[in-house]
Amino acid sequence: MGQLSVILPDGSAKSLPLGSTSADLAQAISPGLAKVVVAAKVNGEVADLRDVLPEGARVELLKIESAVGLDTLRHSCEHILAAAVCQLFKGAQVTMGPKSHEDLFYYDFDIGRPFTPEDLIAIEERMKALIKDKVPFTKSMVSKAQAHELFEANGQKYKKEIIDWIPDERVSLYQCGDFIDLCRGPHLPHAGFIKAFKLMSSSGSYWRGDSSQPMLQRISGIAFSSQAQLDDHLHKLEEAQKRDHRKIGQQLELFQVSERFNSYPQRHGIAELVVSGSYNESASARVAEVVNGGWVTRLKEIFTEAQFSVSNFSLFARQHPTEKDFDLDVRLHISTLNSEQRKEILALEQSVIEKFPDGDFKINIETQIREEIGPGLVIWLPKGGRLRSTIEDLSRKLHFEGGYDMVYSPHIAKSDLWKVSGHWDFYRESMFSPMVIDGQEYVLKPMNCPFHCLAYKNRPKSYRQLPQRLAEFGTVYRYELAGVMHGLMRVRGFTQDDAHIFCRTDQVEAEVDRVIAFVLRMLRVFGFSKFEVNLSTRPAKSVGSDEQWEMAERALKLAIEKSALPFSVDAGGGAFYGPKIDIKLKDCLDRTWQCSTVQLDFNNPARFDLTYVNQEGQKEQPVMIHRALFGSIERFIGVLIEEYAGAFPMWLAPEQIRILTIADRHLEYGETLSQELIKAGLRVSMPEVSEKLGAKIRQAQLDKIPVMLVIGDKDQESGGASVRLRSGEDRGFMKMNDLVEYCKQQAIIPDGNV
């Protein structure tokens, strides 16, 4: 038999028989290595261990701990999930999973009804049995016609459409046990490599993300190479659930936003449950008793005329037990609700609480009011508006100090503008549909940059007038597909802290330095100190000269190096019109969030014919730098809510101080104290409610107020107040002047410079 030669990562060559695979290569190097590799990179492309190697290929063998290995592990666990579902639910229709398994795995199924908690337990047990049996994964290549025949024989009605999407004439199939599916792979050698996994939730998901298509049922899960990694992940998920900005945003009355896409018919009605929560592992039997306690059936009886369903169920075991055995959050989406039904729901909630006092149970009613707006469109409530104003006011101040000018642009423009900018050709699918006004076609703006180009172009520019830095809190609108809305993190209307810098070539390096320093200072002001930085360079297809690209990439690289932050290079990952820097912040749970971007642009200045007059009196094209610090204000506030679990530092808190009077006779003095604090620039409230002091303190702590000022007879007589902090610390009595100064010091905005 003939031989082939492959190149290993260290540059050495390895000779193998023709027809050898990456698995054969691993075995030839070491039998021990062959037992731990799960995938390969062949000439830089991810490949299955079963794929035949070409002559002269550069081969890197990958273990399960690698990024590709972890993706392969989760991808294979996904197929084991589908195999288990097909065994347990005869006739189950299997559709698709995600392209990437970086965060989780899932499959969308059609079994004619939602999955129940008991279903998920049974599926997990069947998956464990398949893993214990080390079910092998096998790969085959067939024609599209053969694939059509196979899946038609298997009764899989969704596969025809999927096969027709594939441009190639031959497709790859993977089989594990009795389950077979279209798949590009790669996959594990066998299921025994899966050491730790957990099914996280089931939820509704439309076929192809289209609300007019059938509703499918998505089962999501996570997998790791060790139980310790899974336990750590579940602990972070538990923390993330406590910090969920959607839940805290409602509790603190910060904002309203809908994630739903279907409308609520008024006449017939829809009642839909979304259930989530966590529990102590020792109380799993107790939780099962709660879940199956009959309250869902009772809800169905309350809404006999409604179309009733459980669209999402997510319940997982805590890694660290808490005092309460379980926490069950039930959200009831309902089109119409009368007073009698509301009473019945409250009575039902109370009956469950009385029957299961060892846990927290809450039914939250969400009626149609938010559906009148549309999905992904945010209403900022007064406290959220104050929070957002505090952030924007600080940002404006720092922008003016940094030499920026603020501009404002309209929310719509004629489609001609987007044709000039290129968005019409390259971004149209993410834009809202046009509207015709006075015979002209208008669209909601998806970007602010074309307006800033026109603002720059308002008057001729001399080289002495550059750089020009234009900034705007510009609200943009982007059409996100159904099913991807997520609170403030993914919306259809959001505000960018956008800026565009127009400068000469010789100014680029200094301007990028300034931007990076500005970005880091701003993020540090809000308490973030850990960042991931990525530099994306010139792709194969691009506009601009070699000299421009070399200059731009050098300037971006030098700016990152000056910041002393570690960074990675995504070779060829830049946009066709210029290289960019992405800065992701890391939160308290080590999650990364994309916020800041610095993007050089050689395209828009040419498209809009932007020029300045150089020293020789000749017209020259400026360099354009796109820049965002927060990215989306909405997403950044969502990140802040989860970072601080709603307990914002005092300078940022929408309500910094709450005055708590012991009796109504203290209200007049409380108002005097309130006015002194307001004059000092502090945000103060004094609720005039007839409650006992203990109840007022508890409510202030639930509302996460940083400072509580208690006023009684002695406080009033002495001209001050007793200071109590959110943490529970009692700071004792302070005279009014001392009190005002103390609160001012607590509310000082951090500098952010290092």
Side-chain angles (χ1 to χ4, degrees), residues 2 128 155 171 222 281 302 309 353 435 462 474 566 615 706 710 730 734-735:
K128 289 175 182 176
V171 297
I222 193 69
E281 282 197 275
I302 293 173
S309 67
I353 292 171
M435 61 190 92
S462 162
Q615 287 176 292
V710 179
D730 188 346
M734 291 186 191
K735 297 282 280 185

Side-chain angles (χ1 to χ4, degrees), residues 226-239:
S226 72
Q227 187 63 43
Q229 289 176 326
L230 176 61
D231 290 343
D232 180 63
H233 179 79
L234 293 176
H235 171 63
K236 288 179 177 177
L237 281 182
E238 185 182 330
E239 280 298 308

Side-chain angles (χ1 to χ4, degrees), residues 545-563:
S545 67
D546 292 344
E547 291 77 14
Q548 284 179 312
W549 277 89
E550 288 170 9
M551 172 275 298
E553 290 177 1
R554 181 177 65 253
L556 295 181
K557 186 171 183 289
L558 285 172
I560 301 173
E561 290 173 344
K562 287 179 184 178
S563 73

Side-chain angles (χ1 to χ4, degrees), residues 42-53:
V42 179
N43 293 327
E45 298 291 329
V46 176
D48 195 287
L49 291 177
R50 305 159 186 79
D51 294 340
V52 174
L53 294 170

Side-chain angles (χ1 to χ4, degrees), residues 551-620:
M551 172 275 298
E553 290 177 1
R554 181 177 65 253
L556 295 181
K557 186 171 183 289
L558 285 172
I560 301 173
E561 290 173 344
K562 287 179 184 178
S563 73
L565 292 174
F567 68 97
S568 58
V569 176
D570 180 10
F576 74 92
Y577 50 83
K580 68 172 180 173
I581 296 172
D582 289 314
I583 300 177
K584 298 178 182 178
L585 62 83
K586 278 195 168 188
D587 67 9
C588 59
L589 298 179
D590 277 336
R591 298 174 299 181
T592 56
W593 299 97
Q594 173 64 56
C595 289
S596 309
T597 300
V598 185
Q599 170 83 61
L600 269 70
D601 185 349
F602 310 125
N603 183 53
N604 267 311
R607 281 181 170 270
F608 284 93
D609 192 25
L610 304 184
T611 61
Y612 67 91
V613 178
N614 63 22
Q615 287 176 292
E616 286 73 39
Q618 303 296 316
K619 287 187 176 181
E620 192 170 330

Side-chain angles (χ1 to χ4, degrees), residues 107 109 113-117 119-120 123 199-205 216-221 273-275 310-315:
Y107 248 122
F109 300 97
R113 63 169 177 81
F115 289 101
T116 66
D119 291 336
L120 295 188
I123 293 166
L199 296 185
M200 303 305 300
S201 67
S202 67
S203 60
S205 175
L216 307 174
Q217 297 301 315
R218 175 173 296 177
I219 297 181
S220 303
L273 282 184
V274 177
V275 184
V310 180
S311 70
N312 185 297
F313 186 95
S314 177
L315 189 65

Side-chain angles (χ1 to χ4, degrees), residues 409-606:
S409 60
H411 291 235
I412 64 172
K414 292 196 295 185
S415 58
D416 295 350
L417 179 67
W418 311 109
K419 291 172 184 176
V420 173
S421 70
H423 291 98
W424 195 256
D425 294 328
F426 298 105
Y427 205 75
R428 192 171 178 181
E429 288 185 359
S430 296
M431 297 168 67
F432 275 83
S433 299
M435 61 190 92
V436 177
I437 303 172
D438 297 332
Q440 297 286 336
E441 195 173 54
Y442 287 79
V443 290
L444 290 167
K445 66 173 177 179
M447 305 280 188
N448 297 304
C449 37
F451 296 100
H452 292 195
C453 288
L454 295 180
Y456 172 88
K457 201 175 179 180
N458 183 52
R459 285 189 177 182
K461 300 287 188 298
S462 162
Y463 71 96
R464 296 180 185 274
Q465 294 174 283
L466 301 184
Q468 185 174 57
R469 308 180 188 100
L470 303 180
E472 176 180 12
F473 288 105
T475 301
V476 297
Y477 303 88
R478 298 179 186 174
Y479 178 72
E480 298 284 1
L481 294 175
V484 299
M485 298 296 101
H486 183 76
L488 297 178
M489 305 302 193
R490 196 77 177 264
V491 290
R492 283 181 161 180
F494 59 94
T495 301
Q496 293 179 309
D497 61 330
D498 229 348
H500 296 89
I501 301 166
F502 302 90
C503 62
R504 306 190 307 263
T505 300
D506 64 296
Q507 296 172 324
V508 169
E509 189 173 321
E511 287 303 307
V512 173
D513 283 349
R514 289 170 62 104
V515 169
I516 296 296
F518 195 2
V519 167
L520 296 178
R521 179 187 178 190
M522 184 70 80
L523 295 180
R524 284 168 177 151
V525 164
F526 290 91
F528 299 106
S529 58
K530 296 185 292 183
F531 309 101
E532 283 187 6
V533 183
N534 187 72
L535 171 61
S536 300
T537 60
R538 188 177 191 175
K541 294 183 178 180
S542 62
V543 298
S545 67
D546 292 344
E547 291 77 14
Q548 284 179 312
W549 277 89
E550 288 170 9
M551 172 275 298
E553 290 177 1
R554 181 177 65 253
L556 295 181
K557 186 171 183 289
L558 285 172
I560 301 173
E561 290 173 344
K562 287 179 184 178
S563 73
L565 292 174
F567 68 97
S568 58
V569 176
D570 180 10
F576 74 92
Y577 50 83
K580 68 172 180 173
I581 296 172
D582 289 314
I583 300 177
K584 298 178 182 178
L585 62 83
K586 278 195 168 188
D587 67 9
C588 59
L589 298 179
D590 277 336
R591 298 174 299 181
T592 56
W593 299 97
Q594 173 64 56
C595 289
S596 309
T597 300
V598 185
Q599 170 83 61
L600 269 70
D601 185 349
F602 310 125
N603 183 53
N604 267 311

